[in-house]
Amino acid sequence: MESKRELLTLLLSNAREDTADLARQIGLSESDVESMVADLESEGIVRGYQAVVDWNRFTDEHVEAEVELNVELDRETGYEEIARRIAKFPEVASLRLVSGDYDFALDVEGESMHDVSNFVAEQIAPIPEVTQTVTHFVMETYKERGIEFDDHDEDDRLSVSP
Amino acid sequence: MNPADRVERVPPSGIRRFFELAEERDDIISLGVGEPDFSAPWSARTAAIDALERGKTSYTANRGRHDLREAITDHVRRYDLEYDPDTEILVTAGASEAIDVAMRALVNPGDSVAVPQPSYISYVPGVTFAGGEPLPVPTSADDEFVLTRKALETAGAADAKVLVLCYPNNPTGATMTRDELAVVADFVRENDLFVLSDEIYAALTYDGDHTSIATLPGMRERTIVFNGFSKAYAMTGLRLGYALGPEVAINAMNRIHQYSMLSAPVTAQYAALDALRNCADEVAEMRDEYNRRRRFVLSRFDEMGLDCFDASGAFYAFPACDGDDEAFAENLLREQGVAIVPGSVFGEGGEGHLRVSYATGMADLREAMSRIETFITER
């Protein structure tokens, strides 16, 4: 259990770390690490591996928005059914049921503000159970999945010190 | 102007030469750094900012703010240490100041102070500045750099007044178990020595728990324990440490401290108070990260065939380099751009070894170890 937690910590910080280095840090053999990774994947604990991308540095044609969604349930339709329907859209990067003033929080991605607005207006808002949408366009990303997007990471320690 | 003789007796630090060599180029990866690569926990930093914003810029009580001393009392109970915040704790400008003041408070001209080596580079000069006579007690790789009774006897430490301890150790990364400390404690009591125990790396103990020598029978009254915020809380530049000891010793130290330093920096005291109250999780995270790097580094040295004992504390590995450690470190720096510190800089017993700090990120650490491997292969 402890080794698995350790492995997850390392994968979260750098999923591309090679197996040999993972094994050295955890203090296990490479084959043990390989089988632990396989277990974590088959158990559905590790769901995938993705890069954390600072899109602003790559292209102007990338827009993200956080969308708040209120829904009204009936006897036949629960959160699960609505979520399953919304999650299928490729524009929806993440979807969560949350507590508070609204029900679902969506991250929506598109190539322009028009794209995102259209998607929300034409695909999400018309869903019968949806009663309200509030769209917040992302102006700037400073931190994502634990990684800060600034450049102030220079090491100003002395190169040799006691 | 002629500096005082005791200053002239202390040669320039051997670490200085490697610092200057490393500074000659800007493409090096440094494993020569004796401080964390993390920043202090954000909560402690905001406490310092808040104190400044509220205009808390004055002196404090000589011994340090009372609430901080109380928090220290609570904190050190995790090591089974019990000290009175009113009389047995002194807050200082880094553990370094505490050690310096303790030397001056305890050592009379000509008194012998036993310093196990290899050791942190400030102990021996500290003894000299206090007017004492440093007595090196070499430890060896054969004993995994643990201080033994035999080493103490061979060096003639029975005649010393004071014994300095540092564990987990800078530069070796070695620490001492309760049983190993009990052997030293027996020797100390039998020969009526006083112990200055630098335990600043206590929170960075990876295998087992840290034991303070002051918790052993008959040792509390003859020991001053040093600790601080530099290593565990990544607060090196804030300069805050403390000493725990019998009232008579702390009073003597405070007599010097009140004239030389007046009080430790107040901003740092606020940061330290917050660190003790709120930053245990951050310390645990940093320790876990160091531990992963430690396993990585020891495993890589093993693969390279560099003999390295299980350095189980601090953030240093101390492998043997089979030959002239200064030449090894200098050539490694020139040929591969990796800065490490030769073991001989840290005194007798350090020769033929290298201090390798793993207080650097994994990407640099991985690259540095590859370069060391290339250097060894091409030698």
Side-chain angles (χ1 to χ4, degrees), chain A residues 6 9-10 14 17-18 20-21 24-27 155 157-162, chain B residues 22-23 30 32-37 170 292 295-296 299-300 303 355 359 366:
Chain A
E6 194 105 45
T9 303
L10 290 173
N14 179 9
E17 186 117 51
D18 76 38
D21 282 353
R24 289 181 182 114
Q25 290 173 78
I26 302 171
D155 185 350
R157 294 177 300 165
L158 301 176
S159 52
V160 176
S161 65
Chain B
E23 289 297 291
S30 182
V33 183
E35 63 175 317
D37 58 321
N170 175 6
R292 285 191 282 270
R295 292 190 200 118
F296 173 79
S299 161
R300 291 292 280 120
E303 290 158 14
R355 190 191 76 172
R366 191 182 301 116

Side-chain angles (χ1 to χ4, degrees), chain B residues 113-301:
Chain B
V113 177
V115 183
Q117 294 189 330
S119 68
Y120 176 56
I121 61 172
S122 295
Y123 301 139
V124 168
V127 174
T128 306
F129 291 142
E133 297 294 332
L135 176 72
V137 183
T139 62
S140 73
D142 292 341
D143 295 320
E144 302 206 319
F145 294 104
V146 165
L147 181 61
T148 61
R149 185 178 188 100
K150 188 177 169 201
L152 286 162
E153 286 172 347
T154 306
D159 296 328
K161 179 178 183 184
V162 175
L163 169 66
V164 177
L165 291 180
C166 173
Y167 63 95
N169 182 267
N170 175 6
T172 66
T175 193
M176 292 181 73
T177 63
R178 178 172 288 275
D179 288 346
E180 289 159 351
L181 286 166
V183 172
V184 173
D186 286 345
F187 181 88
V188 164
R189 283 191 307 270
E190 286 164 23
N191 296 287
D192 196 24
L193 270 58
F194 202 85
V195 173
L196 301 183
S197 187
D198 182 353
E199 300 176 24
I200 192 150
Y201 290 100
L204 302 180
T205 302
Y206 305 109
D207 298 326
D209 294 327
H210 174 82
T211 301
S212 175
I213 194 166
T215 61
L216 270 56
M219 290 304 296
R220 188 186 187 283
E221 59 268 35
R222 55 175 71 246
T223 302
I224 300 176
V225 177
F226 305 103
N227 210 321
F229 297 84
S230 292
K231 311 301 180 182
Y233 297 93
M235 283 169 46
T236 45
L238 293 185
R239 309 308 306 127
L240 207 75
Y242 54 90
L244 314 165
E247 182 174 352
V248 62
I250 294 296
N251 280 345
M253 289 172 65
N254 189 38
R255 204 174 300 177
I256 301 170
H257 170 80
Q258 70 187 350
Y259 289 115
S260 61
M261 190 59 67
L262 290 170
S263 65
V266 61
T267 309
Q269 291 191 50
Y270 279 100
L273 183 59
D274 184 88
L276 290 177
R277 286 176 176 167
N278 301 318
C279 300
D281 288 348
E282 285 88 340
V283 172
E285 283 169 23
M286 288 189 273
R287 183 180 55 231
D288 289 349
E289 177 61 25
Y290 289 134
N291 194 17
R292 285 191 282 270
R293 297 177 191 172
R294 177 184 74 106
R295 292 190 200 118
F296 173 79
V297 166
L298 293 179
S299 161
R300 291 292 280 120
F301 282 140

Side-chain angles (χ1 to χ4, degrees), chain A residues 89-105:
Chain A
F89 290 108
E91 290 89 345
V92 176
S94 71
L95 171 64
R96 297 183 177 92
L97 181 66
V98 296
S99 62
D101 290 340
Y102 52 96
D103 301 308
F104 287 104

